[in-house]
Amino acid sequence: MKTRRLLAAASLMATALLVAACGGGSGDASGPVTLTFQSLSDQPAAIAQTQKIVGAWNTAHPEVQVKIVQAGWDSVYDKLITQFNAGTAPDIVHYEAAGIEPFAEDDYLADLTPYLSQAKRADFQKGVLDSVTFGGKVVAFPTEVQSYVVFANKKLLQQAGVAVPTGKTMTWDQLRQISKATTKGSTYGLGWGLSSPTAAFVALAPGFGGKYFQGTGDQANLTVGEGETALPKLVDEMAYQDHSILPVTLTQSGSKALAPFYAGQTAMTVQGSYQAANIAKDAPKGFDWVVLPPLAGPAGPAQAASPQTLSVNKDSAHVKEAAEFIDYFTNTDNLAAMNEADALIPPTNSARQALATKLAGKTGWDQILSSGQYITSAPYLFASKYPQWKDTIATPAYQQFLAQKIDANGLTTQLQNGWKSVTTN
């Protein structure tokens, strides 16, 4: 029996009428099957690449045609709730692992396990595939992943007498030392946009042995211990003991923190790996930048991640055909091309290697793609109340901690008590 929760459906039902054309593949004995593919890609290069992949499929499969329905990331969760409850959801659903758990739990998504070959299963990074496996069922194929990496102004490192790290990984202690060494006068060693810090802290916690969550669904439990608080404490020490983090960046978005990086106010910045494309495009002429090796904590260089995903509407009249298209979309060549267009990391070993070969020597890409091999499972993806806890509890608590309005004990208390409050209401 499908539970099919009705969250927000009533207030959004009017929207459903506007998106009705998205729902349900068509086709009969006299014509081809038509599948609707709701794509959230919003970068021009990614939109063009999506159109290219779909066009190639349509040419090779006249009996199964895919129609792109261009959407966007804004309010997509509420939109999908409306579409699924109204029976107007597309055949092929583009989203992310962090958002599909409720739809998987409510039985809206088809089980794609029968359509996942052993070869492709082995090709996917295990931790990434784990993030789309619920109750033993693969409910999506991952398409793109981001990691957190350190971008550095090579000139400022050299002026400070710091050799650019070249190892396979770089420790957080090394980052701290470089940040202190490059903090001189009005220049700070590091800028880190942490206005919304929860995603970064949760993603990077595995390097310190942190997990945050155990269990799944509404039964998930939160633990906040040394592994979970190690990185926030490190940021606090760098900001207020070393004075090596530009203070204003702690209240900025990642994108805003790029401005002082371009201006030479910060020698380094921690960013989502996708920012490589923006830096290459927007940095001042002659700006000599590099990406430093993947960050490693005491437990290694592991990072949790929420990949972008493609799922199939379980109520589609053509689940098999939709699954076959997703399998095609995620072949090696298509994933390599798609991730190059979006400046992200392919979730399969073969596509990552293909992209590494193509982009060898191009600034930043060697280290970014290398970081992709360390993506691990993300326990927070399986906690139903995580999005609510993240927005209403964790982010405000981390912001208070970074502003030194509460200490580490206060942070732990707020995070744990806040989890209890959102899971008991």
Side-chain angles (χ1 to χ4, degrees):
M1 177 68 68
K2 296 179 180 180
T3 56
R4 307 226 159 176
R5 62 185 74 176
L6 299 175
L7 297 175
S11 63
L12 294 168
M13 194 57 67
T15 305
L17 298 176
L18 299 177
V19 298
C22 294
S26 61
D28 55 38
S30 62
V33 168
T34 299
L35 303 174
T36 51
F37 170 22
Q38 184 164 282
S39 172
L40 306 180
S41 293
D42 53 7
Q43 298 299 318
I47 292 172
Q49 187 58 48
T50 300
Q51 292 171 341
K52 183 177 179 180
I53 293 172
V54 170
W57 165 274
N58 287 341
T59 298
H61 300 82
E63 75 288 357
V64 180
Q65 295 290 285
V66 175
K67 177 184 177 182
I68 298 174
V69 179
Q70 195 64 52
W73 288 95
D74 290 346
S75 302
V76 65
Y77 180 76
D78 289 341
K79 182 176 184 177
L80 284 170
I81 289 175
T82 301
Q83 289 175 322
F84 277 118
N85 281 306
T88 61
D91 299 287
I92 301 156
V93 179
H94 180 193
Y95 201 23
E96 61 177 347
I100 63 173
E101 187 276 339
F103 300 107
E105 183 178 324
D106 287 350
D107 204 25
Y108 283 122
L109 305 179
D111 180 7
L112 300 180
T113 308
Y115 308 100
L116 178 62
S117 69
Q118 286 302 313
K120 178 162 282 188
R121 178 182 289 274
D123 199 16
F124 276 120
Q125 195 79 10
K126 184 181 183 302
V128 177
L129 192 60
D130 287 346
S131 70
V132 294
T133 304
F134 297 88
K137 298 178 181 179
V138 176
V139 299
F141 281 13
T143 58
E144 301 174 284
V145 189
Q146 81 146 35
S147 64
Y148 288 93
V149 297
V150 182
F151 295 89
N153 182 325
K154 191 175 180 180
K155 180 180 178 180
L156 291 182
L157 265 62
Q158 291 172 337
Q159 287 178 346
V162 174
V164 176
T166 58
K168 290 186 177 180
T169 61
M170 177 180 72
T171 67
W172 286 93
D173 285 341
Q174 284 178 281
L175 177 67
R176 185 174 184 178
Q177 292 165 9
I178 295 171
S179 189
K180 286 194 289 187
T182 52
T183 297
K184 298 178 182 294
S186 60
T187 299
Y188 287 80
L190 184 67
W192 193 348
L194 287 172
S195 62
S196 299
T198 308
F201 286 159
V202 171
L204 292 163
F208 298 87
K211 293 184 177 179
Y212 281 90
F213 295 96
Q214 301 82 37
T216 61
D218 292 333
Q219 304 304 312
N221 295 312
L222 172 72
T223 298
V224 182
E226 286 299 317
E228 289 75 25
T229 59
L231 182 54
K233 288 178 181 177
L234 176 61
V235 173
D236 176 78
E237 291 168 359
M238 292 176 69
Y240 297 104
Q241 292 181 24
D242 302 345
H243 302 287
S244 65
I245 296 180
L246 180 60
V248 69
T249 63
L250 297 178
T251 64
Q252 293 178 324
S253 67
S255 296
K256 291 288 187 183
L258 286 174
F261 181 57
Y262 295 154
Q265 290 179 273
T266 58
M268 299 178 293
T269 181
V270 178
Q271 298 279 346
S273 53
Y274 69 92
Q275 293 284 18
N278 293 324
I279 294 173
K281 175 171 59 74
D282 299 332
K285 185 177 180 180
F287 188 77
D288 192 4
W289 60 281
V290 294
V291 176
L292 302 187
L295 288 162
Q303 292 191 33
S306 173
Q308 291 187 38
T309 58
L310 292 180
S311 298
V312 175
N313 178 357
K314 188 174 182 179
D315 287 342
S316 168
H318 304 284
V319 169
K320 177 177 179 292
E321 291 85 352
E324 289 171 348
F325 170 75
I326 288 177
D327 184 62
Y328 172 80
F329 193 99
T330 55
N331 69 31
T332 297
D333 291 342
N334 287 337
L335 282 182
M338 197 69 210
N339 281 270
E340 180 181 4
D342 244 345
L344 290 169
I345 303 169
T348 62
N349 296 316
S350 64
R352 196 167 59 250
Q353 183 56 52
L355 198 52
T357 299
K358 179 181 180 182
L359 300 178
K362 188 172 181 180
T363 302
W365 274 100
D366 289 348
Q367 299 291 9
I368 288 171
L369 292 172
S370 175
S371 70
Q373 67 185 294
Y374 302 119
I375 299 299
T376 188
S377 57
Y380 68 92
L381 297 177
F382 303 95
S384 296
K385 297 289 186 177
Y386 169 75
Q388 181 181 350
W389 174 81
K390 172 180 177 288
D391 293 340
T392 63
I393 304 297
T395 292
Y398 283 126
Q399 289 171 339
Q400 291 179 54
F401 176 76
L402 293 175
Q404 292 201 308
K405 294 180 179 178
I406 57 173
D407 61 12
N409 289 332
L411 173 65
T412 298
T413 298
Q414 286 200 28
L415 295 177
Q416 293 183 155
N417 288 347
W419 181 252
K420 292 176 183 177
S421 71
V422 300
T423 54
T424 55
N425 291 336

